[in-house]
Amino acid sequence: NITVGEASLYPGFSYRLKGTEIQYSAIDLYATANRGAVNARDYMERYLDTPQIEMLVKMRLYGVVRKLLKCNYGIIMDSQAACPEEFLGIRKERLKLLMKHEGDTWLLSVLQIEKRLGQAWTDLQAEALMELRPEQYQLLPVLNVMSMQKFLNLMAKYAGCDYGTLCNSATNRLRNTALLYFDYISMREQLGYDLGNTVYQRPRDLRSAHDRMVAELNEKKQNKRLLESEEKYPLIRKNYRKLRKRLLYEDETYIIRPARSAEEIILEGRILHHCVGGDNYLRMHNEQQSLILMLRFRDDPEVPYITVELRENRIVQWYGAQDKKPDEANMQRWLDAYVTRLKCGGLGTEGQACGDAMQLMPA
């Protein structure tokens, strides 16, 4: 349970390594570059597994080495390669730029994407992308419709910042703008828009255009769920007439009835912003383990007001908008009277005597 952290190497450490298989590990060079501190045990264990660490340290690719010391080998393309460019999965001429930035792993990621896509970016473009930190899947749809330079210029325009300022605020603004744009382009693509259209590529107001795409995509997903729910829970619609005959009741103010379909239950939950549209409620109603009833004003029978869950002639729960109980005392009395009528068969003509004896409370 003892945690071993980084510390300075004791005097004579390098001398003690002479003649051993780890004498050329370059640990002293790495420690000097790492503010004089290193976890010697972790370093030696990684070095024995990955002797290329010596080469990386001597090339001043310290950022890469730090990742490897934390066992993050996902940044390596070919662990058996002897050449640094093959080991890292970048073009050979890119080693100089990576050394300039001391093995920055975000830059490494950009250079790996460059090679995989068969691109040839300038150093300035690669450094700008290092600030944006894109993933390959995010860049692909963009580069299919515009050049790298046009993309970078567009991000700077939207963010209102320049690249390479070394200002954290500017870098974060550029990065967040790129994330927003990638998400916007991805949604356009999912919805089937022609990304070759420059109007779609370069909206005047990125934030507003992104929000419109979110709304449109959500609507599409919601419509898909409505269709799927009808197929998954067909008995809700099929049994509606039979349940309606048993459960429908109305007076001069309110009307209560069972849900007509799975679609109606989902829409009820969306409009009133509660969870009745979830699969658990749909499944239970479909199997008649519990039933979802819609309580509305008689004058507006299609406008959701209160949703009721009924199980074995007992109300399990009822809620209005935002999981609140409007006019709670009065509605509780109304629902209690409704259940009393239901239990003694007083909702229809067969139970009229019981209904006359048990008047529902007025609104």
Side-chain angles (χ1 to χ4, degrees):
N1 295 323
I2 298 175
T3 300
V4 178
E6 293 184 334
S8 301
L9 296 175
Y10 64 84
F13 184 88
S14 298
Y15 176 78
R16 294 291 296 275
L17 297 181
K18 287 183 178 181
T20 71
E21 59 181 318
I22 54 178
Q23 65 176 323
Y24 299 116
S25 65
I27 187 173
D28 50 345
L29 295 178
Y30 177 76
T32 299
N34 196 46
R35 302 179 303 278
V38 64
N39 184 317
R41 183 188 64 182
D42 288 352
Y43 188 99
M44 292 305 177
E45 287 178 349
R46 298 293 82 74
Y47 172 70
L48 290 174
D49 293 335
T50 313
Q52 294 95 330
I53 284 179
E54 175 197 354
M55 170 183 63
L56 298 176
V57 171
K58 291 178 177 178
M59 294 177 69
R60 304 192 309 279
L61 302 180
Y62 306 123
V64 176
V65 175
R66 290 189 190 100
K67 287 286 187 179
L68 295 181
L69 295 184
K70 295 179 180 178
C71 295
N72 189 341
Y73 279 79
I75 63 173
I76 300 306
M77 294 298 107
D78 184 356
S79 60
Q80 303 304 314
C83 299
E85 67 273 14
E86 295 176 7
F87 183 76
L88 298 172
I90 64 177
R91 293 160 47 198
K92 185 175 182 179
E93 57 269 30
R94 285 306 199 184
L95 287 172
K96 185 176 180 181
L97 180 63
L98 191 59
M99 290 169 63
K100 173 186 172 183
H101 290 274
E102 297 191 341
D104 184 284
T105 51
W106 288 111
L107 177 59
L108 173 61
S109 176
V110 166
L111 299 179
Q112 289 171 338
I113 293 172
E114 177 193 39
K115 183 177 180 179
R116 286 196 295 266
L117 297 183
Q119 299 280 314
W121 300 324
T122 67
D123 286 0
L124 289 177
Q125 289 172 338
E127 289 171 327
L129 283 173
M130 178 177 67
E131 290 192 70
L132 299 183
R133 299 183 178 181
E135 299 287 349
Q136 181 172 315
Y137 75 89
Q138 295 172 320
L139 275 178
L140 272 174
V142 174
L143 296 180
N144 284 336
V145 295
M146 68 178 72
S147 69
M148 174 56 70
Q149 193 57 52
K150 286 183 178 179
F151 164 69
L152 293 173
N153 292 344
L154 190 61
M155 294 304 96
K157 178 181 176 182
Y158 283 139
C161 302
D162 293 326
Y163 300 100
T165 62
L166 302 181
C167 170
N168 287 336
S169 177
T171 297
N172 288 333
R173 188 172 180 84
L174 284 163
R175 191 172 301 151
N176 292 336
T177 299
L179 286 174
L180 190 70
Y181 186 73
F182 289 140
D183 195 40
Y184 162 77
I185 288 294
S186 174
M187 288 187 290
R188 282 282 190 194
E189 191 175 43
Q190 289 180 61
L191 291 166
Y193 284 91
D194 177 14
L195 294 181
N197 188 325
T198 56
V199 174
Y200 299 149
Q201 292 175 17
R202 306 166 191 175
R204 182 169 298 178
D205 185 331
L206 178 59
R207 173 65 65 178
S208 296
H210 177 272
D211 291 346
R212 288 196 300 272
M213 288 300 98
V214 170
E216 188 172 335
L217 188 61
N218 284 341
E219 183 179 2
K220 183 177 181 179
K221 290 179 179 178
Q222 289 169 358
N223 290 338
K224 181 181 179 182
R225 172 161 164 71
L226 291 178
L227 294 174
E228 290 174 345
S229 68
E230 286 295 290
E231 296 176 1
K232 191 174 181 180
Y233 308 105
L235 297 181
I236 298 178
R237 184 181 294 276
K238 182 178 180 180
N239 294 328
Y240 168 66
R241 292 290 179 184
K242 181 172 62 176
L243 291 174
R244 183 178 187 276
K245 185 176 181 180
R246 180 166 69 89
L247 299 173
L248 172 69
Y249 179 79
E250 60 181 323
D251 61 13
E252 65 279 4
T253 307
Y254 302 109
I255 178 172
I256 189 170
R257 61 167 175 80
R260 298 185 183 117
S261 63
E263 178 182 353
E264 185 177 47
I265 295 176
I266 292 174
L267 291 175
E268 179 94 352
R270 288 182 190 170
I271 294 171
L272 295 182
H273 299 285
H274 55 46
C275 60
V276 75
D279 280 330
N280 187 51
Y281 291 106
L282 294 171
R283 177 186 59 78
M284 293 182 73
H285 188 114
N286 191 66
E287 299 171 2
Q288 295 195 32
Q289 295 177 16
S290 68
L291 301 171
I292 301 301
L293 309 182
M294 277 57 175
L295 194 161
R296 277 100 185 259
F297 285 100
R298 186 177 180 181
D299 293 340
D300 291 304
E302 299 305 318
V303 178
Y305 178 50
I306 287 173
T307 312
V308 179
E309 182 183 6
L310 185 73
R311 185 180 304 163
E312 298 177 350
N313 291 342
R314 178 177 61 86
I315 291 179
V316 179
Q317 58 181 330
W318 65 271
Y319 288 104
Q322 308 289 347
D323 283 329
K324 292 187 168 53
K325 295 190 173 185
D327 194 12
E328 183 172 359
N330 178 57
M331 295 315 304
Q332 187 63 60
R333 287 194 298 268
W334 197 96
L335 288 168
D336 289 343
Y338 169 78
V339 169
T340 300
R341 276 180 172 272
L342 181 61
K343 288 179 178 178
C344 66
L347 297 183
T349 55
E350 298 86 351
Q352 191 60 50
C354 178
D356 292 341
M358 294 292 300
Q359 291 296 318
L360 294 178
M361 297 298 292

